[in-house]
Amino acid sequence: MSTSTILKQEVVLPKISYEDLRRFSRDRNEPGWLLDVRSKALEAATRLEVETSPLFQKYSDLSGVDFKEYEYLAQRCHQSSEDGGQFGSPQVFVYPGFTVVQPTEELRKNDVVIDTLHSALESRPELVEQVFKSKAVDYRYDKFAALNTALFENAVILYIPKGVVIGEPIRIVKLTHEPERPIMMQLMIHLEEGSSVTVIEEGYSTMERAQKPLVCEVTDVYASAGSHLAYSSFAGYSDKALLFSNRRAIIGRDAQVRWTFAYMGGEFTRGRGESVFSAPGGSADDIEVLFGDSDQRFDMASDLRFNSTNSTGAVYVRAALKDRARSLNRGLVNIAEDAKRSSAYMSIHSMLFSKNAMADAIPALEIYNNDVKATHSAAVEQIDEERLFYLLSRGLSEESAKRIMVLAFFEKALERIPSRNLRVKVRELVLRKWGGAEEAWSGDEDLFEWALRFGRVEKSTEDMFSGHYKYRKTVEGS
């Protein structure tokens, strides 16, 4: 479903030569195979189109994006003494060109590897090569994944050994505090058979002035048989930030991957995600919420690719837009000929809170065998006047009623974030973007957290985002 047509825009990449790559790689003591990967990725970034699919080229809008404004492959920046305290004690701090890793005692005791790529190259070179060469994101098919692979300065490896279950979430905090220095980040998560971990990734800007920081990131997940990953990501960057994100998971036999994303900050956000079922019995759900105001733009794609049997996947997207914000949310369900008895569902719903906001919701199916269950739904709608009237009849002001409605619109996704503090933080940012957080709650406690604690919010996925008549038959509640 579409409400807008956007003209294609070109993007000019920074002038980086092979000699620049060689010098940077030599200074970081990188092996020859890694320099080879960087050089091939740089060639691909130069050659590839911004949008490789002819169907969506007309929607590409990169106006205001200038990669030449930033410094790449530079010396490491320095941590600001004012940056760390307000974010608690995450296991990983990421600054432009500089990463601090602080593993907990639980991680050390279970022989979990959480380290920067360059540190791990010195201590575990064989493991690094194994993980890097089994990366899920293929830079040959996306311009910005290729640019990241060529120029990345931050890289973290998270390796969970066989049978290890990590109870406490692993937090990764990214801070853009130098406007001329981008965060070029790679996160590689490798779960061995029967392992389990929860990862919470948070992005913030700590600059005082309204600069335009750049974050370009790649997240790779390899989930071996019977493993489980819960991954939550919160993008709370400044209003002028540019975010380019590529993520992909390869899901093994009976493995589970649960993605949850909240996109709130930034002038322009481009996200590409894919869950690939490579063996029988895998499952994945991808839950994304975004709230745009002012002139924010979102260009998002989330795909499910079934290459084996008896797998289950679902994508749920909720976008709320006000002022002049725009979003393109699309997704593809691809079920191969041999992927029998697979189940897939894709739901993309957008709500417009002003007449100048625009949204496109474009789900698609590619099905190559008949022994499957697959369906999709899409909607672009305005605020429900009957629900608004009901809240007004209960004594709420119009603004308070609309704030409650936008929170409720997001809540079925937010309740799945494993961290209470992060759930509350996302709700507070939604309210600040709406304008009037101080009037949101009648008491000291977040009312949605109260509902979760006392079981008033149903956690089944059966009624996650829509009343689609096929949904109950397609994806089992989790």
Side-chain angles (χ1 to χ4, degrees), residues 22-321:
R22 188 184 64 81
R23 182 169 51 253
F24 178 83
S25 185
R26 181 195 60 204
D27 292 344
R28 297 295 181 101
N29 296 316
E30 294 179 351
W33 62 261
L34 185 50
L35 175 58
D36 185 56
V37 170
R38 286 185 182 273
S39 61
K40 291 179 179 177
L42 183 61
E43 187 279 328
T46 305
R47 170 178 44 85
L48 288 168
E49 295 283 346
V50 168
E51 176 55 64
T52 57
S53 171
L55 295 175
F56 296 105
Q57 286 180 350
K58 67 179 181 179
Y59 295 97
S60 297
D61 180 16
L62 275 78
S63 55
V65 176
D66 187 354
F67 283 90
K68 303 192 304 300
E69 293 182 355
Y70 305 93
E71 298 178 9
Y72 304 90
L73 306 179
Q75 296 295 320
R76 299 192 312 179
C77 76
H78 298 286
Q79 175 182 349
S80 169
S81 60
E82 302 177 356
D83 287 343
Q86 60 182 306
F87 301 105
S89 301
Q91 287 81 0
V92 180
F93 264 119
V94 178
Y95 303 88
F98 183 56
T99 303
V100 179
V101 179
Q102 307 170 113
T104 63
E105 183 61 31
E106 181 186 16
L107 298 179
R108 293 192 185 97
K109 182 177 65 176
N110 287 283
D111 296 322
V112 171
V113 177
I114 180 169
D115 206 350
T116 65
L117 174 73
H118 295 96
S119 175
L121 276 170
E122 297 179 1
S123 58
R124 302 174 179 86
E126 296 84 5
L127 176 63
V128 172
E129 187 169 1
Q130 170 196 342
V131 171
F132 200 92
K133 290 189 174 180
S134 64
K135 281 166 55 65
V137 175
D138 192 334
Y139 65 79
R140 296 174 298 174
Y141 300 102
D142 185 89
K143 188 179 191 72
F144 303 105
L147 182 67
N148 174 282
T149 303
L151 305 182
F152 74 86
E153 302 173 36
N154 303 92
V156 174
I157 289 181
L158 174 59
Y159 177 85
I160 313 296
K162 181 177 180 180
V164 171
V165 176
I166 301 300
E168 184 178 355
I170 294 175
R171 288 183 64 218
I172 300 172
V173 174
K174 295 169 293 184
L175 301 177
T176 60
H177 71 300
E178 293 189 13
E180 72 280 359
R181 292 293 313 280
I183 289 182
M184 306 294 286
M185 166 79 174
Q186 293 224 359
L187 174 61
M188 290 158 274
I189 303 174
H190 190 104
L191 291 87
E192 292 290 1
E193 182 178 349
S195 61
S196 178
V197 69
T198 296
V199 176
I200 299 175
E201 193 173 44
E202 305 166 43
Y204 305 99
S205 300
T206 59
M207 296 170 293
E208 295 182 0
R209 295 181 299 173
Q211 302 287 347
K212 187 176 285 190
L214 169 65
V215 179
C216 183
E217 58 189 17
V218 167
T219 301
D220 290 273
V221 173
Y222 187 90
S224 300
S227 61
H228 178 268
L229 170 67
Y231 177 96
S232 300
S233 178
F234 167 63
Y237 297 106
S238 61
D239 293 342
K240 296 295 184 179
L242 308 174
L243 173 60
F244 292 80
S245 175
N246 278 268
R247 56 178 173 80
R248 193 168 188 253
I250 297 177
I251 302 169
R253 179 183 292 270
D254 299 323
Q256 300 180 30
V257 174
R258 300 180 67 178
W259 307 97
T260 306
F261 297 90
Y263 299 102
M264 299 291 160
E267 178 181 289
F268 175 76
T269 300
R270 180 188 188 272
R272 298 292 182 268
E274 185 175 42
S275 298
V276 181
F277 303 93
S278 62
S283 67
D285 55 9
D286 182 339
I287 300 172
E288 303 179 28
V289 299
L290 61 91
F291 185 12
D293 64 353
S294 187
D295 294 297
Q296 282 185 272
R297 307 193 313 279
F298 301 88
D299 179 359
M300 317 299 294
S302 300
D303 300 339
L304 299 171
R305 191 169 298 276
F306 295 82
N307 295 331
S308 191
T309 61
N310 294 294
S311 298
T312 301
V315 174
Y316 318 90
V317 179
R318 286 239 159 166
L321 304 169

Side-chain angles (χ1 to χ4, degrees), residues 1-4 59 327-329 348 350 359-363 378-381:
M1 179 172 293
S2 174
T3 63
S4 65
Y59 295 97
S327 73
L328 166 63
N329 292 97
I348 304 175
S350 301
D360 298 277
I362 311 175
V380 176
E381 57 189 334

